[in-house]
Amino acid sequence: MHETPEELQELQALLDASLSRSTSHLRSIINSESTLTAGELTQILSGMCTLALSTVTAGGEPRISGVDGHFLHGKWHFGTARSAAKARHLAARPAVSAAHMRGEDLGVFTHGTVEILNPQDGKPAADWPDLLAFFKAYYGDDLFDWDNDVVYYRLHPHWMTVYAADITKLTGASRS
């Protein structure tokens, strides 16, 4: 878990607000008995989590692809090749949707905009050195030319909800 108490509070507020403004249909599926708290979510989303990431082409057509997602500081972080189509889409249209699903047990659904963490010809995000150290420790220091081959993003969510079929199974603890 990489979140500060403030980041957990921010994430919990986002989860609560997102669910409260969702449709009645969604709220009939996801409710207090079938969702996770921010603290539970950050414990479950450790390591690499495959994301289905949706971007939009210049013609307004949706495109979905898989990326390695890392949930750090209450937000999704992911990378791709600088030459990938999704990198071009995100540079021009930073709005995305992402889903992480584990069978019928867990679904984390997020809508938001991305921030480029290590632009090729610009100033990196202030926390990029720490994030880069995390990614190098995870993937290996020599897997990529980290300055030229890959671009990393942080998804700033404006909506996020979580479906958990069996909270005890996912968290290993029952709620009192």
Side-chain angles (χ1 to χ4, degrees), residues 55-56 85-95 114 116 153:
T55 61
V56 180
K86 73 174 79 62
R88 289 190 308 276
H89 298 167
L90 294 171
R93 293 163 299 284
V114 295
I116 299 173
Y153 303 90

Side-chain angles (χ1 to χ4, degrees), residues 25-127:
H25 171 71
L26 184 64
R27 289 192 316 270
S28 74
I29 299 165
I30 301 175
N31 54 54
S32 62
E33 301 301 314
S34 62
T35 194
L36 300 173
T37 66
E40 292 166 336
L41 182 62
T42 58
Q43 289 177 4
I44 290 169
L45 296 180
S46 62
M48 191 280 291
C49 301
T50 304
L51 294 178
L53 182 77
S54 179
T55 61
V56 180
T57 68
E61 296 174 330
R63 292 292 183 263
I64 193 163
S65 60
V67 294
D68 290 4
H70 296 270
F71 201 73
L72 307 167
H73 303 287
K75 294 179 173 65
W76 288 113
H77 295 72
F78 63 91
T80 192
R82 288 192 188 275
S83 61
K86 73 174 79 62
R88 289 190 308 276
H89 298 167
L90 294 171
R93 293 163 299 284
V96 299
S97 292
H100 171 65
M101 295 180 283
R102 296 182 188 170
E104 296 179 355
D105 293 332
L106 177 68
V108 182
F109 307 97
T110 309
H111 306 302
T113 57
V114 295
E115 164 194 10
I116 299 173
L117 298 172
N118 61 332
Q120 184 93 52
D121 298 319
K123 185 177 177 183
D127 60 345

